Amino acid sequence: MGFANIIDHRIKTQKVSSAMSSDVIKVSVIIVNYNVRNLLRQCLLSVERSLINIPSEIIVVDNNSVDGSVSMVTEEFPNVTLIANPSNTGFSTANNQGLHIAGGEYILILNPDTIVEEETIQVFLDFMLEHQDAGAVGCRILHPDGSFALESRRSFPTPTVAFYRMTGLSRLFPHSKIFGRYNLTFLPEDQVTPVDALSGSCMFLRRSALFSSDEYPSDHEAAGLFDEGFFMYGEDLDLCYRIQKAGWNIYYTPETQIIHYKGESTKKGEIKYTRLFYGAMTRFAEKHLSEDYPRAFLWILHLAVIVRASLSVIGNMLRHHAMRDLVICYGIITGLGLLRSFQTGLQFPPIFYWGLCPLFSLIIIGVIAVWGGYRGTAPRIGLVLLGSCIAVTSMAALSFFVKQIAFSRMVILASLPACLLFLSAIRLMTKTHQRRQKRTLIVGNVRDAYVLSSHPLSQHLLVGMVTQKEINDIPATLRWLGNYDQLREIVRIHHIESVIFSTAELTNKEIFALIQQLSGISLKSYILADVQHHLIGKSSIQDLDRGTLFDAEEVIGSIRSPAARRLSDIIAALMGAIIHPFVSLLSRISGPQSRWFRRYERTRQWMMVLSGKRSLIGYHDDDEFTPLPEWQLPHGVFTVSEMLGPKLKRPQEEIEQAHWYYVRNQSAIMDWMIAVRALRGSI
């Protein structure tokens, strides 16, 4: 979307105001905000104090916040220029929106979760006057506890610097000039120094370092604006790199400081943000370092990023229920091992405790996690059984190949009922204790929201409602929190525990798409159908005077996790690798018009499935029916419509129903059945 179109889509833009009655704006402050209303308020107050007697303007670009940030700025800071985006455009794009309308000779890029000192901006101005070669300058950044933030000054992630960073050597030897190069930890914090890069949370820029203009001429080139290919993270590295390439220097000065409440606008612990964070370094390397360093470096960096991101995701997962299960499983099998040792008088070797026991526990929680057992609030006892069985079977099979652990078969077998009993019991007890009122959101119909808000529900505390358009004529108890596109952030910001979707406003397909938007968040989903006059859960009935409340999974099925689909595809690809040579041989014997040749065309794609370029089941670009993007169906070797049998001319409605059935009920078994059926018929 071009800048003109972006401006057309502003919800509200206020007038620019200068701190002094001057036509020349000295400093433009640009703040990109995303759901940190209270911190933004404090940030703006500190900035206003720092801009006293400086001709200036403040521009806030809000990325579709759902916490009342826009109304706060409108009511409390009428002199601030406000751009309210209808969607989250990302940090780079939003900053560019502000840069396009900024009129200052200098520009301060500032995070909303920061507080600046009264003299900060004046210090930056004085520094720029003294250092005409400076394209950008940053200051000392402090954590809320007063400690020095390492991102205040950085080096570019060259192969050696990235290696020291990824392996942890930079943390082990921070004062080494070799290992401490990424954050320049070998330099004193109170030393003015040229640096490679600054933090995007506070970056004071010379306008002529970004724009070429007759008003502010320069001997150096202009670096341009933020690269909008960086949605979040890494954009500051990229801009600093281009500023230096244009001939400018970048400095760090300790003469002033700010406080940064780091990550408050993105503190989610979600895979999405982990991927963005670690992927930014890879993108930077591909863009700027690929010509100067061998291709192998990029592959190694990719691998290191994947490992670090995986460890981060696993760490986030283990902080919750998975860690509890891991401790329980490890305790059970080690306890049974100690008991067995005591009974037999034989001392189990260390490999049992530090090798077999952790592996056993990780297999159980891994199976539960892959199949979505740590999402939502349902007990999912079946996944506990599946994980325990797979772990016991794997360990028992391993004991036949590794003789050093053959003694442990009895312990492994005994751990099956023990793990099943304890993990199931703790889930059921947790569910029992969750009888308190849950913070609930209703999505869809205003009339249903009235009924729910006035009814004494024992398990649901209605926090607010979400509709496609804002509703003004509603009681104060029925707060309108936002629209469907904002649903995920509304759930996070307001700590929602259950969501009720109204079929009076939404179709099941629309509800399915919204539930997919909430994937990865632990909550319970219900569907309110306008059928009878009572509320039905899996084990409770309550009079509602309107509609029936069904467990969403009972109506539209559970959403299959990407990890579960990927695991199923990998297994199928390995099976395809086994049968492909035989199919290839038979296809050569039978000729290109035979069924075996058509089977060969399918099985030879096993490498594409293994690499993730295709899924086992999905759709083809030349299909008569293209599934909705919300269904998240990938390109596949086999198509969903092949579950209907031979590829004959079928009504569009029948094909659509087949896809709708698949997305609601998809599983590894269903995938394999469709593939086998297609291969048998050699469609």
Side-chain angles (χ1 to χ4, degrees), residues 136-180:
V137 60
C139 66
R140 188 199 306 254
I141 300 174
L142 302 179
H143 294 302
D145 62 1
S147 60
F148 180 72
L150 295 179
E151 67 267 16
S152 302
R153 51 193 188 178
R154 290 180 291 174
S155 295
F156 295 129
T158 59
T160 52
V161 171
F163 176 77
Y164 301 147
R165 170 78 169 172
M166 289 290 187
T167 57
L169 289 171
S170 59
R171 291 188 178 183
L172 289 174
F173 307 101
H175 302 296
S176 167
K177 290 186 178 181
I178 297 176
F179 299 131

Side-chain angles (χ1 to χ4, degrees), residues 302-427:
H302 271 292
L303 180 61
V305 165
I306 291 171
V307 171
R308 285 293 298 270
S310 301
L311 291 175
S312 178
V313 171
I314 292 171
N316 288 331
M317 180 185 71
L318 293 182
R319 292 190 190 104
H320 303 292
H321 298 308
M323 175 58 81
R324 175 201 64 193
D325 291 350
L326 181 66
V327 172
I328 290 174
C329 293
Y330 184 80
I332 287 173
I333 190 168
T334 53
L336 290 173
L338 291 172
L339 180 62
R340 182 65 173 167
S341 295
F342 179 77
Q343 288 177 338
T344 60
L346 298 175
Q347 186 68 33
F348 282 18
I351 190 175
F352 174 80
Y353 297 103
W354 61 258
L356 187 142
C357 293
L359 181 59
F360 174 86
S361 307
L362 287 171
I363 290 175
I364 293 180
I365 67 168
V367 170
I368 297 174
V370 165
W371 267 271
Y374 294 112
R375 298 196 306 272
T377 59
R380 300 186 183 270
I381 305 300
L383 289 179
V384 174
L385 175 60
L386 177 63
S388 301
C389 290
I390 291 178
V392 169
T393 304
S394 302
M395 293 297 97
L398 185 63
S399 68
F400 285 98
F401 296 97
V402 183
K403 298 302 181 182
Q404 291 88 337
I405 61 173
F407 58 85
S408 61
R409 290 172 192 160
M410 186 62 68
V411 174
I412 293 172
L413 292 175
S415 65
L416 173 59
C419 288
L420 181 59
L421 175 64
F422 277 88
L423 294 183
S424 300
I426 198 169
R427 279 161 168 73

